[in-house]
Amino acid sequence: MKSRTFEPLCAIAAALLLAACSPRRAADDSAGPKRLSDPAVGISLVLPDTAAASVAVTPADRYVWSVPYAPNRTLLYFRVMDATAAFLPLSMRGDVVDKILRAEYRNTLLVFSGDAKAPDGSDVELFAGFDRENNGVAGFAWQGGKTTMAVFLLAGPDLKADRGSAEAVLAELWPRFSFSPTGFGVNRMEKGRLRYNAALLETRMDDNENIDAAYSLFSMRAHDPANYREAINRLSATVMLMDMRGDADPDVRMRALSALDNFSDILCRDQLSVREQFLFAAGKRDRAAAADAARLLDAFDSPYNPDAKPCSEARWARVRGI
């Protein structure tokens, strides 16, 4: 999504959460209110009495957690955990949200996005659209730290695909939140960027040359899937170096951010595509094809995603069981 109002792009892959583990619902807690809790992000959302049950977000084979919220209303929740959150503003992450919804929730079509402020002054990005059953979908994305974007939406027949509906969902859900952001992987990310920056400084290449080098790496991703993340790492380190110096050409910095946005979108798309290939191969009991897809998914997984390791283990356990 490159504009405030946009046409959908292709279906995706993020932040993001790839796996073959199974979702798990927490047991109802009769001593307290129903909640959706995601300890990896550090959020807890109190659900209304009309909600089906409490939900514990765990490593899952699906991105989107769909929760019966109220009569004719469904709560949709997912998060994208990756280092790009430290460098790309929410307004540039709309393509990722669009791809995930199109792939995971009834081919949802987003038609609106726009910047907004949460009641506490936090930056959020509003979204609205339709699913294939013509229900309205509206809500917002919240930056949960340097490695996390969390998305909260309501879907229902009475919701409209406009800013007003998205603002109403934000106003309804925000008072139900409690936040304790975990900053998962932030220290690791910053240490990694500093090491990468030291290497870039030794090359004595200028900013545009570093961006060109990232493009070259990304163009060779078919030969080595590690180049997806290597190119993204080089771009984010280049942006960090520009900001540390404080003298970067604004146009060059925007060129780096645009490339980072584009590379992240493509990685997200390819993750989802390969995950579908894995699920198809596993279902057909094609062990070789499933193993090939599992290797790719391991390369695509974000090192800042706490679900990456358990989901990889579950994928390989499934491969061994074929």
Side-chain angles (χ1 to χ4, degrees), residues 64-101:
V64 178
W65 292 78
S66 177
V67 183
Y69 182 82
N72 298 317
R73 287 287 177 96
T74 300
L75 173 68
L76 309 178
Y77 168 73
F78 61 94
R79 33 33 175 215
V80 178
M81 304 190 76
D82 196 74
T84 51
F87 304 98
L88 294 175
L90 283 170
S91 59
M92 295 182 75
R93 305 312 310 280
D95 284 348
V96 171
V97 175
D98 188 48
K99 288 179 175 69
I100 290 174
L101 288 172

Side-chain angles (χ1 to χ4, degrees), residues 15-17 38-43 77-86 88 90 93 141-152 181-186 189 304-306:
L16 308 185
L17 309 172
D38 187 351
V41 177
I43 64 103
Y77 168 73
F78 61 94
R79 33 33 175 215
V80 178
M81 304 190 76
D82 196 74
T84 51
L88 294 175
L90 283 170
R93 305 312 310 280
W142 168 72
Q143 184 87 11
K146 288 188 175 181
T147 60
T148 306
M149 175 178 68
V151 182
F152 309 88
T182 60
F184 183 88
V186 170
M189 178 192 73
Y304 312 105
N305 177 6

Side-chain angles (χ1 to χ4, degrees), residues 18-289:
L18 291 171
C21 336
S22 297
R24 174 176 62 85
R25 286 187 181 276
D28 285 330
D29 181 4
S30 58
K34 300 171 185 176
R35 294 178 182 273
L36 181 146
S37 299
D38 187 351
V41 177
I43 64 103
S44 179
L45 175 66
V46 175
L47 301 173
D49 293 339
T50 51
S54 290
V55 178
V57 177
T58 59
D61 63 346
R62 292 289 176 185
Y63 285 81
V64 178
W65 292 78
S66 177
V67 183
Y69 182 82
N72 298 317
R73 287 287 177 96
T74 300
L75 173 68
L76 309 178
Y77 168 73
F78 61 94
R79 33 33 175 215
V80 178
M81 304 190 76
D82 196 74
T84 51
F87 304 98
L88 294 175
L90 283 170
S91 59
M92 295 182 75
R93 305 312 310 280
D95 284 348
V96 171
V97 175
D98 188 48
K99 288 179 175 69
I100 290 174
L101 288 172
R102 284 174 62 79
E104 295 292 321
Y105 189 73
R106 301 176 186 170
N107 290 323
T108 294
L109 167 66
L110 293 179
V111 297
F112 167 81
S113 70
D115 296 336
K117 293 286 186 182
D120 70 346
S122 300
D123 291 328
V124 295
E125 186 75 6
L126 302 176
F127 297 104
F130 302 94
D131 66 19
R132 70 183 180 190
E133 296 174 1
N134 209 34
N135 291 306
V137 176
F140 62 98
W142 168 72
Q143 184 87 11
K146 288 188 175 181
T147 60
T148 306
M149 175 178 68
V151 182
F152 309 88
L153 303 141
L154 289 180
D158 59 332
L159 288 168
K160 297 180 180 179
D162 58 19
R163 185 183 186 96
S165 287
E167 289 176 336
V169 172
L170 174 63
E172 178 177 350
L173 296 185
W174 197 265
R176 295 179 172 271
F177 282 115
S178 59
F179 298 103
S180 54
T182 60
F184 183 88
V186 170
N187 290 337
R188 177 180 178 181
M189 178 192 73
E190 292 179 344
K191 290 177 181 177
R193 289 294 176 269
L194 290 174
R195 288 194 297 271
Y196 210 112
N197 288 343
L200 291 186
L201 287 170
E202 288 181 2
T203 67
R204 299 187 181 279
M205 296 169 70
D206 67 23
D207 296 332
N208 271 312
E209 288 174 325
N210 279 324
I211 298 169
D212 291 340
Y215 270 106
S216 295
L217 280 168
F218 201 72
S219 70
M220 295 186 290
R221 64 192 182 278
H223 301 285
D224 183 355
N227 285 329
Y228 279 89
R229 293 212 170 273
E230 188 68 11
I232 287 172
N233 286 342
R234 190 177 189 108
L235 282 171
S236 56
T238 299
V239 175
M240 182 181 281
L241 274 176
M242 291 186 204
D243 293 343
M244 289 170 63
R245 291 198 322 262
D247 62 351
D249 183 323
D251 291 337
V252 176
R253 187 178 186 278
M254 181 52 66
R255 182 184 177 224
L257 289 177
S258 296
L260 183 60
D261 182 31
N262 187 42
F263 292 0
S264 299
D265 289 346
I266 293 171
L267 172 59
C268 183
R269 177 200 68 196
D270 291 350
Q271 280 180 304
L272 270 187
S273 175
V274 173
R275 192 202 60 188
E276 291 303 314
Q277 293 172 28
F278 172 81
L279 295 174
F280 179 78
K284 297 287 287 185
R285 302 192 64 77
D286 184 338
R287 185 171 186 174

